[in-house]
Amino acid sequence: MRTHPAVLLLFAAAPLFGQEPESRAPAATDPLIAGREKLQKALAKAAATADTAFEVEWADKTKADGNKDAIAVFLNRGPSATTNTGTLRGSWHQGLTHLRLDGEGVKDELLLAGRRMIAKDDKTDWVLRVGRFADGNQTGFLPDVQLLLTQLAMWPLAVTQRTVGSLDDRPIEIFSVTLNPDQVADASFTDLIPESLASTANPFAQLLRIQAVGNGKPLRQPLQKPESTIDIAIFVDPATGTVHQLRFRSWTKQDPRFANAGRAAIVVRNGVAQQVGPAEEDEDEDENAKADAPLQYEGGLPERRRKNMTVREYTVKLTGHGQTAAPELSDKQRQLLGLPPR
């Protein structure tokens, strides 16, 4: 009996039934790529969750040396988040942000709605302000945590490591991220992070750039992009996808004229000019670290070489997700903020 070609084809294909050709087998998923997708969803969820409280902290972690204050003195401009160390608390709600800054001798409170801001302190009742506290001092950087989360969720973040740990006795997944140069510039120019986190190493550069215009003709030049490296550790509840904390650490190469380059520098301390020499070279593990050695991570952040680097940190803690009550606004507050009466 003659076998039909279709039958031969069927028998030839029979061994393939029940199994997928090797070329069609699903490729192994890159855990870092999968982690980026998971992280973006968590960040987008956090940004969309109004009635959330936050606490932000910023600190200078620069290696102590004789010339450290030469840069810091130009970044301490008033009792606000432009200084090198501090804490600010607040919350965001539908169309409203509430900020509280409690420092030594100051107790400021701010409310922002749309393009308007009002301020008060322990001596002044609520007044309309633009970029200033109630007493007239400039606020400097004011955190917009919701916008920060929104932007991070939109970026194709480079996840460098995923680890499991704990935070406040709860299981946590830590995503380690390093921003690329364009992301660092955008974060700085959009005021998503404190100015000092991604400042240029030479504080005189801006002054020299302005003076170079000359001839009484103002000519605005593009601002130099920050050359800082910024790492972020983002803490996410693996069960609920809730973001609980973001830790930023920036690394900026110090200008050799203000770092340990064998020269003295003039700094100002308490209004008095002083000459400060370079610190003595010390032998430590950072000094002898190999440049090509793999980065070691601690708490989700890589440990980089600290010698001649300005190192600053910025931490955002989120609590009361979707459960933080918005402040009750008085008729006066609503009027100042341009909100409709109750």
Side-chain angles (χ1 to χ4, degrees):
M1 181 178 68
R2 184 178 179 181
T3 304
H4 196 279
V7 176
L8 290 175
L9 180 62
L10 179 63
F11 281 124
L16 299 178
F17 289 125
Q19 69 181 37
E20 190 173 357
E22 184 177 352
S23 60
R24 297 182 182 179
T29 303
D30 188 328
L32 296 184
I33 295 178
R36 183 175 69 186
E37 295 174 353
K38 183 178 181 180
L39 176 59
Q40 287 177 321
K41 291 180 180 179
L43 290 168
K45 173 185 174 182
T49 305
D51 300 326
T52 298
F54 59 84
E55 177 179 302
V56 300
E57 300 175 345
W58 56 98
D60 191 342
K61 298 294 183 178
T62 303
K63 182 179 177 181
D65 60 54
N67 291 328
K68 176 179 174 181
D69 290 343
I71 295 177
V73 70
F74 287 91
L75 297 174
N76 290 328
R77 299 194 302 273
S80 65
T82 55
T83 57
N84 289 335
T85 303
T87 301
L88 188 149
R89 297 175 178 83
S91 57
W92 80 84
H93 314 274
Q94 192 65 38
L96 184 70
T97 299
H98 185 204
L99 300 175
R100 301 183 306 278
L101 178 63
D102 296 331
E104 185 176 354
V106 295
K107 189 174 183 180
D108 293 288
E109 198 170 349
L110 306 173
L111 284 169
L112 300 91
R115 298 177 61 185
R116 295 200 188 186
M117 185 186 83
I118 59 177
K120 75 177 291 291
D121 57 30
D122 51 355
K123 297 179 181 178
T124 308
D125 197 5
W126 290 103
V127 288
L128 193 63
R129 289 287 184 265
V130 177
R132 296 179 184 271
F133 293 111
D135 64 3
N137 279 291
Q138 293 185 349
T139 59
F141 169 78
L142 294 177
D144 188 334
V145 177
Q146 186 179 26
L147 183 59
L148 171 64
L149 294 167
T150 300
Q151 180 63 88
L152 289 175
M154 293 171 60
W155 278 335
L157 297 176
V159 178
T160 58
Q161 180 178 268
R162 295 174 64 182
T163 55
V164 177
S166 64
L167 181 68
D168 299 330
D169 297 327
R170 70 162 63 93
I172 209 77
E173 185 171 9
I174 307 174
F175 295 85
S176 302
V177 171
T178 298
L179 298 183
N180 64 42
D182 288 337
Q183 291 169 346
V184 171
D186 287 342
S188 178
F189 295 165
T190 316
D191 281 345
L192 299 180
I193 56 177
E195 179 183 358
S196 60
L197 201 66
S199 62
T200 54
N202 184 356
F204 290 116
Q206 179 75 355
L207 297 176
L208 295 176
R209 186 180 67 85
I210 295 174
Q211 292 176 357
V213 174
N215 299 326
K217 297 180 180 180
L219 178 62
R220 190 177 72 182
Q221 299 293 328
L223 191 64
Q224 179 182 348
K225 290 186 177 182
E227 297 180 358
S228 304
T229 296
I230 296 184
D231 301 309
I232 317 174
I234 305 175
F235 295 67
V236 180
D237 186 321
T240 63
T242 302
V243 178
H244 288 282
Q245 192 169 127
L246 302 94
R247 295 178 183 172
F248 294 74
R249 181 181 292 159
S250 69
W251 310 79
T252 307
K253 187 176 182 180
Q254 295 175 354
D255 191 296
R257 288 169 291 183
F258 305 102
N260 297 331
R263 305 179 185 179
I266 302 298
V267 301
V268 179
R269 292 195 179 103
N270 299 323
V272 179
Q274 299 179 6
Q275 185 175 18
V276 181
E280 295 181 1
E281 297 292 337
D282 56 345
E283 295 291 337
D284 56 17
E285 67 280 359
D286 180 69
E287 188 80 12
N288 300 318
K290 294 182 179 179
D292 57 349
L295 290 175
Q296 300 297 316
Y297 287 74
E298 183 176 351
L301 291 171
E303 284 295 334
R304 303 180 184 273
R305 292 173 59 89
R306 291 178 179 262
K307 181 178 174 59
N308 295 339
M309 300 294 288
T310 296
V311 183
R312 295 197 169 95
E313 294 185 358
Y314 177 57
T315 302
V316 180
K317 302 176 183 178
L318 304 178
T319 57
H321 303 75
Q323 300 178 354
T324 303
E328 291 287 342
L329 301 181
S330 66
D331 292 337
K332 177 182 179 180
Q333 289 171 299
R334 300 185 71 87
Q335 182 181 22
L336 290 171
L337 289 170
L339 299 176
R342 290 178 292 182

